[in-house]
């Protein structure tokens, strides 16, 4: 008797309930943390916020990481990059990137999704040589944020598109790591770089010669981080390299790599990335003029994220399918694919990270970059959600899932 009433109510509260499922929770937390950082940075606590992050603890000659902000970006974020490396290795060996037919579409999509935003950025801001270093800022997709928005839609979105978004974002991260290593290395210390190669080689050797305990690899990862930090290459690259040396299985035949990933992923998603987001998303905007908010740098980043990502990825997916290079994601129509490509324009974590590397010597440019990242990411999240909510043709999946839950004793 009450069933006609229950169904509309269940549909109405589905987005709220989705906040608490695994796909959405990490992304929602990141959204809340970013909002909190903006509020604090534009409140009477702004000076305390700045002092907390940037007060020097000791001279840089004593140790390079001499304030909390550096420890977060160059130290704590190594855990995030280590988890990224574990995800990449698992996907390459046993996941969606393990065979040519599976990895073709994500790889070429991610490539286009990095190239087109970079071209748009250069077109808008490239005439200013001071801004050109930011070309890679709109090229990265934030996995947690994007998957969080997708999670709000529940099972309305086909599973194949969730997998597509996830694999594209992972390949995107690989590209971003390579960009950081190649283009954002200011100077090189040959001795420390050689030590880094020796440590990395030793870790690879431990893998090849059958070391099955995790602790030697953990100690090696710490040594590699220190060596890379002093070499001039960004220290977080050590996290990815160390992760690639982790054996697939331990002495008991269990998956050491998956065990490490499952143990560290929640810490990365619910502690490391939110701390990074709070430390980097705060920008003082109350005194900014409209001209500053829509200056060439934030405009180039926001446009690159929102238009560049969807234009590059959707175009390459459409052409690949039409030319027979790859198969269209199963049970998905073109409008749904377009909606998911909009979500790839959410570039929060990696984009903030790259902006700090690109404009670390200019707080004004870092703040302008943050505005562009936040604008592009928010617009992509909202438009992408609305597009998928309106165009999806799988409402019956949500009903069937809910009815199956109700039928359980």
């Amino acid at each position: 008797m009450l069933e006609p009433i229950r169904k509309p109510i269940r549909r109405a509260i589905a987005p709220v309930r989705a906040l608490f499922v695994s796909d959405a929770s990490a992304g929602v937390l990141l959204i809340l943390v970013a909002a909190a950082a903006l509020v604090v940075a534009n409140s009477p606590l702004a000076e305390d916020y700045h002092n907390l992050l940037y007060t020097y603890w000791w001279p840089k000659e004593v140790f390079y990481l001499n304030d909390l902000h550096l420890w977060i970006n160059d130290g704590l974020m190594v855990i995030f990059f280590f988890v990224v490396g574990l995800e990449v290795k698992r996907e390459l060996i046993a996941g969606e990137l393990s065979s040519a037919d599976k990895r073709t579409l994500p790889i070429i999509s991610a490539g286009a999704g990095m190239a087109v935003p970079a071209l748009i950025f250069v077109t808008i801001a490239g005439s200013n040589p001071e801004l050109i270093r930011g070309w890679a800022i709109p090229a990265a997709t934030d996995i947690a944020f994007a998957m969080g928005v997708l999670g709000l839609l529940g099972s309305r979105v086909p599973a194949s598109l969730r997998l597509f978004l996830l694999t594209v974002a992972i390949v995107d991260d690989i590209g971003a790591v390579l960009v950081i290593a190649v283009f954002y290395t200011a100077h090189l210390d040959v001795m420390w770089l050689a030590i880094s190669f020796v440590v990395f080689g030793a870790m690879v050797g431990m893998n090849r010669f059958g070391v099955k305990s995790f602790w030697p690899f953990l100690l090696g990862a710490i040594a590699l981080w220190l060596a890379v930090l002093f070499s001039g290459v960004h220290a977080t690259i050590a996290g990815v390299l160390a992760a690639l040396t982790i054996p697939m299985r331990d002495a008991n035949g269990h998956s050491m790599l998956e065990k490490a990933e499952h143990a560290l992923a929640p810490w990365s998603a619910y502690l490391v990335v939110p701390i990074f987001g709070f430390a980097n998303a705060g920008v003082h905007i109350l005194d900014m003029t409209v001209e500053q908010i829509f200056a060439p740098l934030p405009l180039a980043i926001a446009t690159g994220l929102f238009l560049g990502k969807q234009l590059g990825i959707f175009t390459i997916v459409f052409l690949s399918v039409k030319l027979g290079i790859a198969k269209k994601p199963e049970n998905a129509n073109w409008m749904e694919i377009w909606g998911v490509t909009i979500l790839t324009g959410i570039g929060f974590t990696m984009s903030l990270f790259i902006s700090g590397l690109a404009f670390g010597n200019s707080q004004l440019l870092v703040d302008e970059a943050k505005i562009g990242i936040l604008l592009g990411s928010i617009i992509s999240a909202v438009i992408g959600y609305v597009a998928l909510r309106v165009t999806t043709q799988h409402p019956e999946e949500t009903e069937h899932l809910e009815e199956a839950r109700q039928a359980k004793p």
Side-chain angles (χ1 to χ4, degrees):
M1 183 177 180
L2 295 176
E3 192 60 27
I5 301 175
R6 286 176 180 168
K7 283 187 178 181
I9 293 176
R10 284 199 296 267
R11 286 185 186 178
I13 67 172
V16 178
R17 198 175 68 248
L19 292 173
F20 302 98
V21 302
S22 58
D23 269 355
S25 53
V28 171
L29 176 60
L30 199 52
I31 295 169
L32 296 176
V33 165
L38 280 173
V39 170
V40 171
N42 292 277
S43 74
L45 296 173
E47 186 175 351
D48 295 326
Y49 173 77
H50 184 272
N51 291 338
L52 173 67
L53 293 172
Y54 297 104
T55 297
Y56 291 156
W57 296 349
W58 47 70
K60 275 205 171 183
E61 292 74 20
V62 175
F63 188 59
Y64 170 71
L65 305 184
N66 66 343
D67 63 38
L68 181 59
H69 188 261
L70 283 173
W71 272 102
I72 291 171
N73 284 24
D74 291 33
L76 192 63
M77 280 295 283
V78 174
I79 298 174
F80 166 78
F81 280 88
F82 186 78
V83 173
V84 168
L86 292 174
E87 290 175 345
V88 168
K89 183 170 182 177
R90 174 175 51 77
E91 291 294 332
L92 286 171
I93 293 177
E96 290 302 312
L97 302 176
S98 60
S99 61
D101 60 324
K102 289 183 177 180
R103 59 176 171 255
T104 298
L105 191 60
I107 288 176
I108 60 177
S109 297
M114 296 185 75
V116 176
L119 288 172
I120 289 177
F121 179 95
V122 171
T123 301
I124 296 175
S127 59
N128 186 337
E130 191 179 16
L131 305 183
I132 198 68
R133 276 182 58 82
W135 65 269
I137 296 174
T141 296
D142 189 282
I143 295 178
F145 208 148
M147 293 301 292
V149 175
L150 201 62
L152 296 177
L153 293 158
S155 58
R156 295 172 63 92
V157 179
S160 62
L161 282 184
R162 293 171 181 271
L163 189 59
F164 173 75
L165 177 60
L166 182 61
T167 50
V168 167
I170 289 173
V171 177
D172 197 295
D173 277 349
I174 299 173
V177 168
L178 292 174
V179 165
I180 291 170
V182 175
F183 295 99
Y184 293 101
T185 297
H187 65 278
L188 286 176
D189 187 306
V190 177
M191 183 189 74
W192 281 107
L193 189 63
I195 294 173
S196 302
F197 279 114
V198 170
V199 175
F200 179 65
M203 296 180 71
V204 172
M206 288 192 297
N207 185 320
R208 299 296 291 272
F209 288 105
V211 175
K212 299 299 184 182
S213 174
F214 182 72
W215 293 106
F217 290 96
L218 179 60
L219 294 175
I222 295 172
L224 182 61
W225 170 70
L226 285 169
V228 172
L229 176 68
F230 290 123
S231 74
V233 179
H234 200 272
T236 50
I237 302 301
V240 177
L241 293 176
L244 296 178
T245 69
I246 302 300
M248 285 299 292
R249 303 203 172 275
D250 60 20
N252 298 318
H254 301 137
S255 176
M256 182 191 296
L257 188 143
E258 287 192 12
K259 186 177 180 181
E261 183 182 348
H262 291 160
L264 290 173
W267 290 98
S268 175
Y270 296 104
L271 182 66
V272 173
V273 173
I275 289 175
F276 170 83
F278 185 78
N280 288 273
V283 54
H284 189 72
I285 59 176
L286 292 181
D287 298 331
M288 284 190 170
T289 63
V290 174
E291 288 77 12
Q292 287 177 301
I293 294 175
F294 293 100
L297 180 58
L299 183 62
I301 293 172
T303 307
L305 284 171
F306 177 62
L307 290 181
K309 295 294 281 189
Q310 61 172 297
L311 180 63
I313 295 176
F314 184 82
T315 300
I316 204 70
V317 171
F318 184 81
L319 291 176
S320 298
V321 172
K322 294 302 180 183
L323 295 174
I325 299 173
K327 294 180 180 179
K328 187 171 72 168
E330 186 179 350
N331 199 31
N333 60 49
W334 286 113
M335 293 299 289
E336 291 167 340
I337 294 172
W338 170 66
V340 166
T341 64
I342 297 175
L343 294 183
T344 62
I346 302 173
F348 189 78
T349 304
M350 199 69 82
S351 295
L352 286 174
F353 194 86
I354 294 174
S355 69
L357 299 178
F359 305 120
N361 295 325
S362 172
Q363 189 58 48
L364 175 62
L365 292 181
V366 169
D367 287 345
E368 286 189 0
K370 289 178 182 179
I371 291 171
I373 293 165
L374 292 170
L375 281 175
S377 298
I378 291 170
I379 293 171
S380 296
V382 172
I383 301 298
Y385 175 85
V386 172
L388 286 168
R389 188 76 184 176
V390 171
T391 63
T392 183
Q393 296 184 7
H394 306 273
E396 73 283 353
E397 294 183 13
T398 303
E399 289 187 22
H400 291 163
L401 182 61
E402 187 63 36
E403 288 171 0
R405 287 199 190 104
Q406 295 292 329
K408 286 184 178 180

